[in-house]
Amino acid sequence: MTATNGRDPARSGSKRPYRDTALIYGAFAVMVVVVAVATGGRLLWAVVWAAGAFLFATLWTWRSLRAREGRRRR
C-alpha cells in the first residue's frame, strides 16, 4: 500500500495518463517561454524550442505508455 494507491494496490496512478502528460509538458513549455522572455531571450526561438520539446517529450511518453499497456495485456 502506498499513498498514491490507497488500499487498492491494483490501482496505479492517474485514470488519464495521456492528458496528464500533455498538461505537465505544456506547463514546462510555457515556463521555457516565460524564462526566455524574462531573461531577454528571443521569443520566437523560445516558442520554437518549447513546442519542439513539448512534442518530442509528449510523443515519447505516449509511446512508452502504449508499450506498457501492450505488455500488461499479455
Side-chain angles (χ1 to χ4, degrees):
M1 176 170 40
T2 67
T4 58
N5 64 6
R7 296 188 182 275
D8 185 8
R11 192 181 113 216
S12 63
S14 172
K15 293 180 181 180
R16 295 187 175 110
Y18 294 100
R19 183 204 61 185
D20 296 346
T21 297
L23 289 174
I24 293 296
Y25 289 136
F28 287 154
V30 168
M31 285 191 283
V32 166
V33 172
V34 168
V35 168
V37 170
T39 59
R42 293 183 176 178
L43 178 62
L44 178 61
W45 281 111
V47 170
V48 168
W49 281 103
F54 169 79
L55 288 174
F56 178 76
T58 303
L59 292 174
W60 184 275
T61 303
W62 286 1
R63 181 183 148 274
S64 299
L65 288 171
R66 292 200 37 111
R68 187 183 320 158
E69 289 172 358
R71 285 191 304 268
R72 201 177 294 156
R73 287 183 187 142
R74 292 183 203 161

